[in-house]
Amino acid sequence: MSASSVKNKLPVKWGFLDKEEGEKMTTLRTTVVVLLGASVLAASVQGASVPGASVLGRPLLYGPSTALQKTVEEFQCEVESSSKEVSILYQLFREGDRSKTLGFYSALSGEMANFPLFITASYEGYMVCVASVQNNTVIQPTVSERHHLRVVDPVNGAEVVVQSGSVEFYEGKPLSLRCNITKGNHVSYQWLVDGKPLPLSPLHNQTQELFIDSMVPQDSGEYTCVATNQLNFTKIYSSRSTAKVIKVKELVSEPDLLFLVLKERDGTYFALVTCQSLKGTPPITFSLYSRSEFISTETVDERFARFSIPVVLDLHMGFLQCQAENGDRVVYGQWTAMHVVGGAVTMHYDTDVGENFSIVGLRFYCSVERGTFPQYRWFLNGTVLEGRGDFYWVENQPEQSILLLSVGRSSAGTYHCDVSNSFDGTTVISSEERYIDKEVLNHLPTMVVAVVFGCFLFLVTLVTTCCFIGLLYRKRQCLVEKSTLDLKLGLEMHNIMVSDEDEGFLGHPCIMVAEDDNEVDEEEYMEDEGMVRAARIIDSDQEEVESTDEWLQLQQELKKTLEDEIPEKSF
C-alpha cells in the first residue's frame, strides 16, 4: 500500500468525528505510519552513515498557540523547497517523545501537510514536525522548530474549604481557606469578603489559598473565591464559589462594677450590683466576689449581669469585684468599695481673674468623706439653686459636684451644698456656708494690706540704713586721707628746713637784713618758696597715699628722721 493511497483513504480534518472515533482514527494512522514509515526511518538511519547523502529542507510547523480542550484544531507542516518532486512523509510528535505519533500526513514536495487534532490536556507543551522522503534512504529526514501549545480547560466547580477548622472562633487565631475546583487549568484566583475584593496586604496571602495570621472581629463576613482562566484574551471562563460565613468572636473586656441601693417596703435595703463589659461576644459568664468569699455567678447572652445583695446602713459592706469570661479569656475588674454616704462634707472654691485683675468667676467644689453614689444639691440663701437663673452651671461627678458661678449682682448671696444617698433622701449632710459678693471678693483683706505695707516699710528702712553706713564709711575715708596728707606735708616741710640750714652752714650766701621790714619780707619769701616746693611734692605724691598703712609708714619715717637730727644739732 502506497502513501498516496493511505492519504486518499484517511480524512484530513476530524471536525466531524467524536472523541471515540478520533481515538480509533489516531490508532489507525499510527499503525499505517509504523508499516509505511519503518523502512523510511531505517533508511534514514542507514543513510546517515552513507557518505555524500543529501539532506531534505527543514520543515515549517504552523498551528494555534492556545487551544480549548475537547476541540479539534488543525496544525500544518511543509518543506518550502525541494530539489525535485518527491513524496514526503510528515509526522507530528511531542518534543522529546518519538514513541507516540500525534499525527502523520503524506504529500508531494511543495504541498502543505494538515494535522487535525482532537485536543486533550496531554497535548500541552512543545511539539515538532519531522519530514522524511519516502522510499529514499539517501535523503536525510529533518525536524522543524518546536511549537508550543497551551491547552485551556474551562474552570468549573469552585468551592471554599476551611482548612483552619471551625468557621466560628475567637479573635487572635489564624484563618486558612482554600479555593478548590473540579476542573480547569491556568487558573487565577480572587477572594471576596461580603461581595467586595479583599484588599491586598502583607497580612493577607492570596493565591489559591488565603491565609490570615491573626483575625479580628472586623474580619468577620462571607468569604467567596472566584476562579478564572481565559483563551487568547478573547474568551474568559470563571467559576464563583458559594459564600462561606466566617464569624470572629470578640474576647470579653475588663468588667466594670456599678451598684444601686434600693429600699424595700419593709424598710430593709439591698444593692443591685451590675457587672458590665463594653466588649465581648456573648455568651459571657460573670462572677461576683468579695474580699472573703465567692458570691454568685451567671452566664448571660448579653454584656452585663445583675446580682442582688443585702445592705446595712452605716456599715461598711466591704469591697466587691467582677469577673468576666468567654472563650479562653478570663478578666477581672477593679475592687470597688460599697458603703453609704457618711462623714463630713467639705466645700471650697477657686477664682477666675479677668483682664483688670478683678474676680469674675468662681468654681465651687463639694465632696463627701465617704459614699459610693452620693446625691448633691446646691443652695443659695437657704433655697435650692435650681431654676434661679443662667449665672451658674452644675456638673455632678461620682467623687464631687462642681458649681461654676459667674460673679455679679444676681449671684450674690450665701452658698452651701447638701449630700444624701441616692436611694434614701432622709439622711442629709450639709457643708458650711460661704457668702459671695463681687465687692467683697475684690476687696483686699486687711492681712494682705498689712503684709504689703510692712514689706514696703522694711525695704525703706533697709535702704536708709545702707545709705547711712555708706556716709559714715566715706567720712572715715576722708579723715584718713586728710591726716595722711597733713603728715606728708609736715615731713616735706621739715626736710626743706633741714636742707636750708645745711646750705647756710656750708657757706652759701644768705640774705640778712637788719631792718625789721626787710627781715619779714625775706622770711615770707623763704616760707613761700618752701610752701611751693611742698605743694609740688604733695601733688606728685597725693596719688600714692591711698590707705591707712601708708599713713602709719609715714609716721614711722618722720619719727626716725627727728631722732637722727637731734644728735646732729647737739653736735
Side-chain angles (χ1 to χ4, degrees):
M1 183 180 297
S2 64
S4 58
S5 61
V6 173
K7 174 183 176 182
N8 295 330
K9 291 182 179 180
L10 293 179
V12 174
K13 296 185 179 180
W14 295 359
F16 61 92
L17 298 179
D18 58 16
K19 179 178 179 181
E20 183 178 357
E21 293 175 345
E23 291 177 352
K24 291 180 179 180
M25 187 61 66
T26 301
T27 305
L28 177 60
R29 286 196 172 192
T30 303
T31 305
V32 173
V33 168
V34 173
L35 294 176
L36 295 181
S39 60
V40 175
L41 293 175
S44 63
V45 175
Q46 181 179 0
S49 61
V50 177
S54 60
V55 178
L56 189 63
R58 190 170 192 177
L60 300 176
L61 179 60
Y62 308 100
S65 59
T66 304
L68 195 63
Q69 188 174 347
K70 296 183 179 180
T71 60
V72 176
E73 298 290 343
E74 188 172 273
F75 293 83
Q76 298 175 332
C77 186
E78 67 172 343
V79 177
E80 291 185 343
S81 62
S82 179
S83 59
K84 58 182 179 178
E85 185 175 347
V86 293
S87 177
I88 301 175
L89 177 63
Y90 295 95
Q91 300 176 86
L92 195 61
F93 297 97
R94 295 190 60 185
E95 184 183 31
D97 184 12
R98 300 289 180 89
S99 62
K100 181 179 180 181
T101 305
L102 302 180
F104 71 92
Y105 195 94
S106 180
L108 297 176
S109 57
E111 293 183 3
M112 183 78 69
N114 298 314
F115 299 98
L117 297 180
F118 184 79
I119 303 300
T120 62
S122 61
Y123 285 178
E124 179 162 342
Y126 289 97
M127 57 180 61
V128 294
C129 176
V130 178
S132 59
V133 179
Q134 299 186 46
N135 301 323
N136 191 328
T137 59
V138 177
I139 301 176
Q140 295 291 325
T142 54
V143 181
S144 68
E145 293 284 349
R146 63 180 186 173
H147 178 81
H148 185 267
L149 176 64
R150 182 172 179 262
V151 178
V152 176
D153 187 14
V155 66
N156 194 16
E159 181 184 7
V160 176
V161 177
V162 182
Q163 300 184 126
S164 54
S166 175
V167 294
E168 291 189 9
F169 50 89
Y170 284 94
E171 59 181 316
K173 295 185 177 180
L175 173 67
S176 178
L177 304 178
R178 179 180 174 84
C179 185
N180 288 339
I181 55 175
T182 56
K183 58 177 295 188
N185 58 1
H186 305 290
V187 180
S188 59
Y189 298 90
Q190 183 183 27
W191 291 91
L192 308 177
V193 179
D194 296 330
K196 298 179 181 180
L198 186 66
L200 297 177
S201 169
L203 303 177
H204 302 161
N205 183 18
Q206 300 186 55
T207 53
Q208 188 176 5
E209 295 184 357
L210 173 64
F211 181 78
I212 302 177
D213 181 62
S214 180
M215 295 287 285
V216 295
Q218 292 75 15
D219 294 329
S220 299
E222 297 181 350
Y223 283 74
T224 307
C225 75
V226 179
T228 305
N229 60 0
Q230 57 186 359
L231 177 68
N232 292 331
F233 302 99
T234 58
K235 191 172 182 62
I236 299 176
Y237 306 93
S238 65
S239 177
R240 180 167 179 163
S241 69
T242 56
K244 186 71 70 174
V245 179
I246 302 297
K247 183 179 180 181
V248 183
K249 294 187 286 187
E250 191 176 38
L251 291 173
V252 67
S253 62
E254 180 180 308
D256 297 323
L257 187 146
L258 307 173
F259 70 85
L260 179 64
V261 178
L262 301 176
K263 186 176 182 179
E264 297 281 9
R265 293 182 179 180
D266 58 359
T268 60
Y269 297 89
F270 72 95
L272 187 62
V273 181
T274 302
C275 293
Q276 175 178 306
S277 294
L278 298 179
K279 296 170 54 180
T281 302
I284 302 175
T285 301
F286 290 98
S287 301
L288 184 64
Y289 293 87
S290 68
R291 288 286 191 185
S292 58
E293 61 183 0
F294 165 77
I295 297 177
S296 181
T297 185
E298 187 175 353
T299 301
V300 294
D301 291 331
E302 297 175 307
R303 292 177 178 173
F304 65 90
R306 292 189 175 95
F307 305 92
S308 178
I309 57 176
V311 173
V312 179
L313 296 182
D314 299 328
L315 179 65
H316 195 289
M317 301 303 297
F319 292 84
L320 301 178
Q321 184 187 48
C322 288
Q323 172 192 297
E325 177 183 1
N326 72 341
D328 299 331
R329 186 176 189 182
V330 179
V331 290
Y332 296 89
Q334 300 293 328
W335 287 101
T336 302
M338 192 183 80
H339 49 77
V340 297
V341 170
V345 176
T346 58
M347 184 181 71
H348 66 280
Y349 68 88
D350 295 334
T351 59
D352 295 328
V353 180
E355 295 181 355
N356 57 351
F357 299 100
S358 63
I359 297 176
V360 296
L362 294 176
R363 292 188 302 275
F364 278 100
Y365 301 91
C366 181
S367 59
V368 67
E369 183 177 348
R370 66 176 183 271
T372 306
F373 291 104
Q375 180 177 339
Y376 299 93
R377 298 185 74 184
W378 290 92
F379 291 83
L380 172 59
N381 297 327
T383 60
V384 179
L385 184 60
E386 296 177 4
R388 298 287 294 273
D390 56 356
F391 58 87
Y392 71 94
W393 177 263
V394 177
E395 181 180 353
N396 291 320
Q397 299 177 355
E399 298 83 8
Q400 62 182 354
S401 178
I402 303 175
L403 171 63
L404 304 177
L405 192 65
S406 175
V407 176
R409 291 185 179 180
S410 59
S411 61
T414 303
Y415 289 84
H416 79 276
C417 70
D418 287 351
V419 185
S420 61
N421 291 301
S422 59
F423 58 88
D424 186 3
T426 58
T427 303
V428 179
I429 306 175
S430 300
S431 69
E432 62 179 3
E433 295 182 346
R434 177 85 62 174
Y435 179 75
I436 298 300
D437 183 79
K438 186 174 183 180
E439 294 181 359
V440 174
L441 290 173
N442 290 291
H443 178 72
L444 291 176
T446 304
M447 181 61 68
V448 175
V449 175
V451 171
V452 173
F453 180 76
C455 292
F456 175 75
L457 184 60
F458 173 76
L459 182 61
V460 172
T461 304
L462 181 62
V463 172
T464 304
T465 303
C466 292
C467 292
F468 181 74
I469 294 174
L471 290 175
L472 293 178
Y473 179 77
R474 180 61 180 169
K475 185 176 181 180
R476 181 176 179 276
Q477 289 293 105
C478 291
L479 292 175
V480 172
E481 291 178 1
K482 185 175 182 300
S483 300
T484 304
L485 291 175
D486 293 342
L487 184 60
K488 187 72 172 179
L489 178 61
L491 181 61
E492 292 299 331
M493 288 294 293
H494 177 75
N495 291 336
I496 293 170
M497 294 174 63
V498 173
S499 177
D500 291 341
E501 292 177 359
D502 291 343
E503 289 178 359
F505 180 78
L506 293 175
H508 287 283
C510 182
I511 300 175
M512 300 296 293
V513 180
E515 291 81 7
D516 294 337
D517 296 336
N518 293 337
E519 184 176 358
V520 172
D521 295 338
E522 192 70 25
E523 289 178 357
E524 290 177 358
Y525 173 78
M526 295 295 295
E527 184 178 355
D528 292 340
E529 183 180 0
M531 290 296 292
V532 171
R533 292 177 59 187
R536 291 177 181 175
I537 295 173
I538 291 171
D539 291 338
S540 63
D541 295 341
Q542 186 174 0
E543 296 179 356
E544 298 179 0
V545 181
E546 296 178 354
S547 65
T548 306
D549 295 338
E550 292 183 356
W551 178 66
L552 295 175
Q553 186 177 359
L554 291 174
Q555 284 183 331
Q556 293 176 1
E557 291 179 359
L558 179 59
K559 182 179 180 181
K560 184 178 180 182
T561 303
L562 294 176
E563 290 176 355
D564 292 341
E565 290 179 356
I566 291 173
E568 292 178 0
K569 289 183 180 181
S570 63
F571 175 76

